[in-house]
Amino acid sequence: MAQTKSETTSLSTTGTDGQLDRTDSGALVSEYGRTSIADTVVSKIAGIAAREISGVHDLGGGAARAAGAIRERIPGSRTNMGQGVAVEVGERQAAADLDIVAEYGTSIPDLATAIRRNVKASVERMTGLEVTEVNITVHDVFLEDEARDSDPDAGRRVE
């Protein structure tokens, strides 16, 4: 049987009298210890969850995307899944700010709703933290024509 957040409690010793005090804690604190989750973990989860949504072309503002493009050209480097994501993580709650590039033709209000829903569900499921807010800033709209214009080899039929 699954416990809801309000049903999850732990026993902890407080005060000098050794009395046990029943406190509501959540999944990250128990009578055996405390689990801390780094900001980078939450930002990576939020970044992956946002990228899963159809209509999100990329994450990050212009400078972050340029740095990411340079980093990806280095052999052996990996994509930074936390790019364009800033988080604030407390003991029981987290908040996220995402900078995105939307694909042209996508309804931005619907896209923002889908991103919020997926980020909130993913972070809460994987970390046990309550997500209090997911703020989204749309920095650009991706046009397929712009991608072809910026790639000089895109118009070539043969090499």
Side-chain angles (χ1 to χ4, degrees), residues 3-11 22-26 29-30:
Q3 289 183 324
T4 63
K5 184 172 180 180
S6 61
E7 295 172 334
T8 305
T9 59
S10 68
L11 298 175
R22 198 172 176 94
T23 57
D24 180 53
S25 63
V29 178
S30 75

Side-chain angles (χ1 to χ4, degrees), residues 51-78:
R51 284 179 173 85
E52 290 175 346
I53 303 301
S54 177
V56 174
H57 175 71
D58 204 357
L59 266 65
R65 289 195 326 269
I70 292 168
R71 184 176 34 257
E72 288 176 4
R73 292 178 190 254
I74 299 170
S77 68
R78 293 187 230 162

Side-chain angles (χ1 to χ4, degrees), residues 16 27 57 63 76 80 82 86 89 99 106 108 113 115 126 154 157:
T16 56
H57 175 71
N80 179 6
V89 179
D99 297 329
T106 302
I108 292 175
T113 299
I115 292 169
M126 294 181 71
R157 294 182 62 196

